[in-house]
């Protein structure tokens, strides 16, 4: 059985659950410890005690730890990528890509340790100096989802540590394997005891304990809107209120205009809607297509979709792995039935598939005759299900694209500079993609959205400092000779 990592020790837990491969439910990756309330409290205490020294450690020390983590992740990419694909179900190239991204994120934040800067300014008062500095917050609770088992933890853990905070990391229950490996790597990077703690198990137990603890200064969360709102309420209801950062769902549009290169549009749509089994908050599930290209686009999409191989995530040649588990598969199937009940036309896919091994295989689904008011066009499905929505022209397409409770990512396929520029200025989302998939972002620039998708400061890149530090303004008076 694997263990939790608390106060610098690998700690046994009373409970453990099997980690099941969604490509082959007979394949159990191992039994993973479930932390108890007491374990969680011990981890929080340890992180709290470790904060004083870590927050005062030299930036060289922090750089060296993060750099060691990055180097080891990158050197073990094959092993970690295979494990990730086995436990989450994204294809092996996607798994390997995600591990590389995690390594690069640690590399980036190792560099950020050395680039921490403040400002020294003149005051409006004679003889007074003003300094603006950034300080760490304290213990940070990190609650992560299952769909990016190593990259999302990396983009929360790395900045938290880089800026001098200590960490309680609670991964999603479905993907403890990648979290455990990451913790092993962090544990022997030179990070002092208590600075980083891994507590695996249920959100309803560990997550709740983190939300209740007054020793946790801030929570960074990625997951569903429902849980996100609950996290935010708990953070603002506590005394004192705690800082909170939420990354939640998306219902991301991809506009395809008459003048688009059809091959580019189809590849962007297939990638956005179906890769990683549609289980990305940046996935596009609303393809908003103008009248002149609509029929050709649907025909080309349908043809391209029949060539997509849905199979075991680790098999060579697989384009789309399984859905992550039975619960998510049931949700996908419920929405597919709902779409039909709402009057949309299922052009292709949406069927359970049998493969050599028992797994959660679903063929990618494409709906047409979709109205943007339908529930399948408004609610996040989080599966390989895309809808095609007609628009008369660019103006109407933009209006439909913005007509959503979410605002994470928004894409357009066009050869027109005029429309591309207008879309970049007027699409209501945190990330805009022109002739690119809505998903698949760089690791060194801000990530996040608007409206129901995100709350609080951005993640990733230099902007991560806004969440993981607090700003101090110091005034000093020196008598002028
Ligand atoms: N925006 C995104 O990136 C993601 C969106 N989703 C959306 O959410 C839906 C459901 O997925 P699900 O995994 O259940 O998402 P959740 O929001 O429930 O899970 C995200 C994280 O929050 C934890 N959590 C759950 N309950 C609590 C709680 N009361 N207090 C603190 N933490 C808690 C989970 O723990 P645990 O799972 O271990 O119990 C997990 O680590 C998906 O179908 C999809 O629509 C899901 C994942 C990512
Ligand atoms: O699209 C990406 O690269 C990142 C997506 C993501 O972070 C998510 O789905 O939670």
């Amino acid at each position: 059985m694997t263990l939790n990592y608390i106060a610098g020790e690998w700690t046994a837990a009373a409970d453990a659950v099997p980690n099941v491969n969604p490509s082959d439910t007979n394949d159990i990756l191992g039994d993973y410890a479930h932390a108890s309330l007491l374990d969680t409290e011990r981890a929080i205490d340890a992180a709290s005690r470790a904060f004083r020294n870590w927050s005062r450690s030299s930036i060289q020390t922090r750089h060296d730890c993060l750099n060691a983590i990055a180097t080891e992740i990158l050197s073990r990419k094959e092993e970690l990528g295979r494990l990730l694909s086995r436990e989450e179900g994204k294809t092996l190239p996607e798994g390997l890509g995600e591990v590389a991204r995690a390594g690069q994120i640690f590399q980036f934040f190792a560099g950020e340790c050395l680039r921490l800067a403040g400002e020294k300014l003149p005051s409006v008062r004679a003889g007074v100096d003003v300094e603006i500095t950034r300080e760490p917050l304290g213990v940070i609770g990190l609650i992560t989802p299952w769909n990016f088992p190593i990259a999302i933890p990396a983009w929360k853990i790395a900045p938290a540590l880089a800026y001098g905070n200590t960490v309680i990391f609670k991964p999603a229950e479905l993907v403890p394997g990648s979290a455990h490996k990451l913790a092993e790597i962090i544990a022997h990077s030179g990070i002092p005891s208590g600075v980083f703690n891994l507590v695996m198990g249920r959100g309803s137990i560990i997550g709740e304990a983190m939300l209740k603890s007054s020793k946790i200064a801030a929570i960074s969360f990625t997951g569903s809107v429902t849980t996100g709102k609950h996290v935010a309420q708990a953070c603002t209801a506590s005394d004192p209120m705690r800082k909170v950062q939420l990354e939640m769902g998306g219902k991301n549009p991809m506009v395809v205009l008459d003048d688009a290169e059809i091959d580019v549009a189809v590849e962007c749509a297939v990638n956005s809607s179906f890769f990683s089994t549609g289980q990305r908050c940046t996935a596009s599930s609303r393809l908003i297509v103008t009248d002149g290209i609509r029929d050709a686009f649907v025909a080309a999409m349908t043809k391209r979709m029949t060539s997509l191989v849905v199979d075991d995530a680790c098999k060579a040649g697989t384009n789309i792995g399984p859905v992550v588990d039975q619960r998510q598969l049931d949700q996908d199937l419920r929405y597919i039935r709902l779409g039909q009940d709402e009057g949309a036309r299922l052009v292709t896919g949406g069927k359970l598939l049998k493969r050599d091994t028992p797994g959660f295989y679903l063929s990618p689904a494409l709906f047409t005759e979709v109205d943007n008011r339908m529930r399948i066009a408004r609610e996040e499905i989080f599966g390989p299900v895309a809808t095609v929505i007609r628009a008369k022209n660019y103006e109407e397409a933009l209006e439909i694209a913005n007509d959503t409770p979410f605002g994470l990512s928004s894409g357009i396929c066009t050869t027109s500079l005029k429309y591309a520029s207008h879309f970049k200025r007027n699409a209501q989302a945190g990330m805009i993609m022109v002739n690119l998939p809505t998903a698949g972002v760089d690791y060194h620039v801000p990530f996040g959205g608007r409206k129901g998708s995100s709350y609080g400061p951005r993640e990733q890149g230099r902007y991560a400092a806004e969440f993981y530090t607090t700003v101090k303004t110091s005034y000093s008076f020196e008598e002028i000779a």
Side-chain angles (χ1 to χ4, degrees), residues 34-331:
H34 259 196
S36 63
L37 247 179
L38 201 68
D39 293 330
T40 313
E41 281 161 5
R42 282 187 41 240
I44 296 171
D45 283 344
S48 188
R49 283 195 304 276
F51 175 66
R52 185 184 150 86
N53 285 345
W54 182 247
S55 62
R56 293 169 186 203
S57 60
S58 76
I59 54 173
Q60 188 66 50
T61 301
R62 286 189 237 157
H63 165 276
D64 292 350
C65 291
L66 266 66
N67 203 38
I69 297 166
T71 306
E72 188 165 348
I73 292 174
L74 293 172
S75 70
R76 290 170 63 183
K77 191 175 100 172
E78 280 293 322
E79 170 207 346
L80 298 172
R82 195 165 282 279
L83 169 72
L84 193 162
S85 292
R86 225 176 118 205
E87 77 172 347
E88 198 273 348
K90 62 181 65 177
T91 65
L92 193 53
E94 289 170 337
L96 294 171
E98 186 182 331
V99 172
R101 180 165 161 181
Q104 287 157 341
I105 288 167
F106 273 99
Q107 244 166 11
F108 177 85
F109 282 105
E112 284 302 280
C113 296
L114 307 179
R115 286 189 285 267
L116 247 183
E119 285 180 81
K120 194 167 168 86
L121 308 173
S123 165
V124 292
R125 288 171 279 171
V128 174
D129 269 340
V130 185
E131 274 174 14
I132 303 169
T133 49
R134 285 185 181 275
E135 293 185 359
L137 303 173
V139 182
I140 311 223
L142 306 177
I143 303 177
T144 59
W146 46 262
N147 63 331
F148 281 83
I150 196 163
I152 293 180
W155 78 53
K156 294 185 192 293
I157 295 168
L161 296 176
Y163 297 123
N165 303 283
T166 56
V167 165
I168 308 294
F169 168 38
K170 193 224 102 50
E173 204 192 339
L174 281 178
V175 288
S178 301
H180 199 273
K181 285 283 175 217
L182 180 58
E184 284 171 27
I185 291 170
I186 295 174
H188 58 251
S189 67
I191 291 248
S193 298
V195 169
F196 169 83
N197 302 271
L198 168 72
V199 278
M200 296 180 289
R202 289 215 173 86
S204 53
I205 297 172
I206 299 163
E208 284 299 328
M210 288 163 73
L211 298 184
K212 286 197 180 90
S213 173
S214 57
K215 291 183 181 159
I216 292 194
I219 301 262
S220 178
F221 166 89
T222 303
S224 65
V225 175
T226 313
T227 310
K229 281 189 174 160
H230 172 66
V231 169
Q233 278 157 4
C235 288
T236 50
S238 63
D239 200 8
M241 288 195 268
R242 281 166 295 163
K243 208 168 174 181
V244 62
Q245 175 182 58
L246 310 173
E247 292 301 341
M248 302 170 287
K251 195 70 194 173
N252 307 296
M254 165 152 285
V255 169
V256 179
L257 295 186
D258 286 357
D259 65 13
E261 294 274 4
I262 193 146
D263 294 347
V264 171
V266 167
E267 284 317 305
C268 286
V270 162
N271 178 323
S272 306
S273 303
F274 306 127
F275 287 1
S276 299
T277 325
Q279 297 171 157
R280 294 184 283 190
C281 55
T282 44
S284 176
S285 45
R286 293 187 302 138
L287 308 171
I288 302 163
V289 188
T290 48
D291 278 338
I293 197 173
R294 188 261 178 208
D295 292 351
F297 175 78
V298 170
M301 271 297 278
T302 313
K303 182 158 176 259
R304 175 74 176 93
M305 284 170 69
T306 54
S307 73
L308 294 171
V309 178
V310 181
D311 208 331
D312 188 313
C314 292
K315 222 182 214 179
T318 295
N319 301 118
I320 300 175
V323 172
V324 72
D325 71 349
Q326 186 66 51
R327 193 176 71 141
Q328 185 62 51
L329 181 62
D330 290 344
Q331 174 165 312

